[in-house]
Amino acid sequence: MDEKARILQLRDELHRHNYRYYVENAPVISDQEFDFLMHELQDLEARHPELFDPNSPTQRVGSDLNNEFETVLHSRPMLSLGNTYNRQEVADFWQRVSDGLMGAPFQICCELKFDGLSISLHYEDGRLVRAVTRGDGVQGDDVTANVRTIRSIPLQLPAGGDWPREFEIRGEVLMPWSSFDRLNAEREKADEPLFANPRNAASGTLKSKNSSTVAQRGLDAYLYYLLGDGIPGDGHYQNLEAAARWGFQVSKNMRLVSTLDEVFAYIDYWDEERRNLPVATDGVVLKVNSLAQQKSLGMTAKSPRWAIAYKFQAEQAETTLRQVVFQVGRTGAVTPVANMDPVQLAGTQVRRATLHNADVMASLDLHVGDRVLVEKGGEIIPKIVGKKEQGARSKEQENTVSPSNPLAPCPLPLAPINFVERCPVCGSKLVRYEGEAAYYCPNDTGCPPLILGRIEHFISRKAMNINSLGPETVDDYFRRGLIHDAADLYELKVKSEELKVKNKSNNSEDDTNSDSSLFTLQSSVSKILASIEESKKIPFERVLYAIGIRFVGEIAAKTLARYYGSMDKVASATLDSLLQINGIGEVIAGSVIGYFANPINRAFVERLRGYGLQMEIGEQQKQAQSDKLEGQSIVISGVFQHHSRDEYKALIEQHGGKNVGSISAKTSFVLAGDNMGPAKLEKAQKLGIRIMSEDEFLSIINSEE
Ligand code: IVH
């Protein structure tokens, strides 16, 4: 057999073994044999780059390339479901369906509601071609490269199946409890922040820039909705059975029922039994089975009338409060966190719960030793929701005795817990900004979590876009004293040897395996240095945003940059002058003045200047400006021919307009490319908002005044 044929044969064989292993849980060869075949394929593929196939089983291990996610329109909007929390509403749903079908008999498919993130998979000729997150329902992120690493998702369907040439299948990407526990244990060891629940972990992982991280984290997926012309069955359940035959992982716990009592029996059973499942679920989904009946019931604006989600009650548990600690976040916000006796809750052992803020804490009137109620809802970190009044004293305290009268119960009141007045990290007096519930540490140049927050903001995509440097590396460099503020990043060049060596022994940033070669480390250091160098070209308005003046967001930074033209002018602006500017109010103006009044900030900015960052608005920007779009709010939608979305965004701003995300009565017009999202189109038409083509738009901004 020639090598090409062998490659194809191996791919086919490995796809089948993957399926047996990850979907059927019934492998027919040992792991070693599997690895052996995989290595053979890897070797052959290395010799034949011309036969590269992104869907080859070898691609499941991911790559180290940064995946820039592209936003793509869904071919059909991804709707969500109506939620109910009680049986009456389930009964009402049943009645609505029955009325809607004018009394005709119907079946309901009962399914588990998986608690992960929804995904839409597109197949053409049996091959996975695209995987898109839900996003806002109209458009989502193209995460195909990451999804390819999820082993229960088939990349290539077995030949000869009755699958349509083109179809879409939707489902949920999840992190099983076992992967979640392992990941958090690793993170705890590495002193990294833990994921609150499997859904957050799955979502963080799927959005990872590095598909090899995704490959290592053990995600899984269940598919629950088949769409497209030419799908085989006329019932939802039957279609999922077909999908299961084609190799998709479909839940084995779906049931077709014909009475409301059966629905309740299903709910009751799974409310208990879900604790024994390998993945998190937060309810059940009820769907009318017949596709014809689904069609006749139709949709509301947001969700189908033929389906509903019943959510399980958030689980609660009772335990004893031991202590409240105060955490300082990257923004300086101080959060009270309760330490409690460990208690089993929704599949994990819980010993910490958030108390949100000073007001919530005060309303609970807590004392050390209180018996408290802890709750864990779907996406939320456990929180204390109340306390048991009668249990206000812990056992130990009841057993202690007053020294004066050994027979009387302890007369001392329990110590109340108060919110701190000073930052627990640096000791600064906390402040509360108007209209905000949180207290903040104001010491943003001296308090470590805030400094880290500032550096992370500085390197973020919309600021200096130093994308090869993740928060974990920043943390690592900061802890090791290599950087003390964002300006130190520009000194890293000199210390690059040190970075390399240390990075090798303390491989916390690299997502690659421990056996990765020095090559990867070197290349990751040089990638970091290159993107730091590259950031020197970032335009002034983004530098102004990056330096992290509180309340100066992207828009305010642009406004200031355009108005003053240079850092020096912004730094010496007076309050009066700032308040003249459209869009700059007292809060922002005061913050700008405060920022430049601080010599530490001034010195920081001077250092950045010294390293060659842009401190003035570019020539081009100055020239390109006009006020043709002054005062206009413009929504961008669809796919464009002449410029990218970001370029259009920039053009709108250069001509005095404002790009806004969603259509409202205030929208001036929609700049529409091809395939404008159907929801947006409908809304624009309803509100009578003008839809402008790309060419029309360009001719307006390019016209002579
Ligand atoms: S069906 C039009 N089935 O729950 C029907 N959704 O708000 C679309 N989910 O966004 C969804 N398990 O992410 C469906 N068995 C299941 C599900 C499920 C979890 C999620 C899905 C959706 C949300 C509903």
Side-chain angles (χ1 to χ4, degrees), residues 77-83 110-119 134 170-172 222-225 236 240 251 254 282-287 299 303-304 306-307 309:
M78 277 182 94
L79 302 174
S80 64
L81 295 176
N83 279 335
C110 303
E111 297 172 20
L112 290 168
K113 184 169 183 315
F114 296 106
D115 196 12
L117 65 153
S118 35
I119 192 83
R134 178 169 186 279
R170 294 181 184 170
E172 203 85 349
Y222 283 95
L223 286 310
Y224 48 61
Y225 190 21
H236 167 75
L240 289 184
S251 169
M254 302 187 299
D282 61 344
V284 302
V285 179
L286 308 171
K287 300 173 184 167
M299 319 258 182
S303 50
W306 46 265

Side-chain angles (χ1 to χ4, degrees), residues 109 111 224-225 235-240 287 289 291 294:
C109 180
E111 297 172 20
Y224 48 61
Y225 190 21
H236 167 75
Y237 186 90
Q238 290 72 20
N239 281 324
L240 289 184
K287 300 173 184 167
N289 192 53
L291 300 191
Q294 287 184 1

Side-chain angles (χ1 to χ4, degrees), residues 183-184 186-188 190-195 204-205 208-210 213 216-217 330 452 455-456 459 466-480 482-483 489 499 503 506-512 528:
L183 174 63
N184 263 356
E186 281 167 16
R187 290 176 78 86
E188 191 157 17
D191 209 12
E192 287 164 355
L194 303 188
F195 285 111
T205 302
S208 166
K209 285 190 192 161
N210 197 322
T213 307
Q216 285 161 27
R217 288 203 181 158
R330 300 286 157 104
L452 271 171
I455 304 177
E456 280 169 17
I459 63 174
I466 305 183
N467 57 16
S468 56
L469 200 56
E472 284 158 21
T473 319
V474 169
D475 256 38
D476 180 43
Y477 287 0
F478 184 76
R479 238 177 288 166
R480 284 163 38 202
L482 289 174
I483 53 174
L489 293 172
L499 290 182
N503 225 354
N506 182 359
N507 189 8
S508 67
E509 182 262 339
D510 245 284
D511 291 315
T512 46
I528 290 173

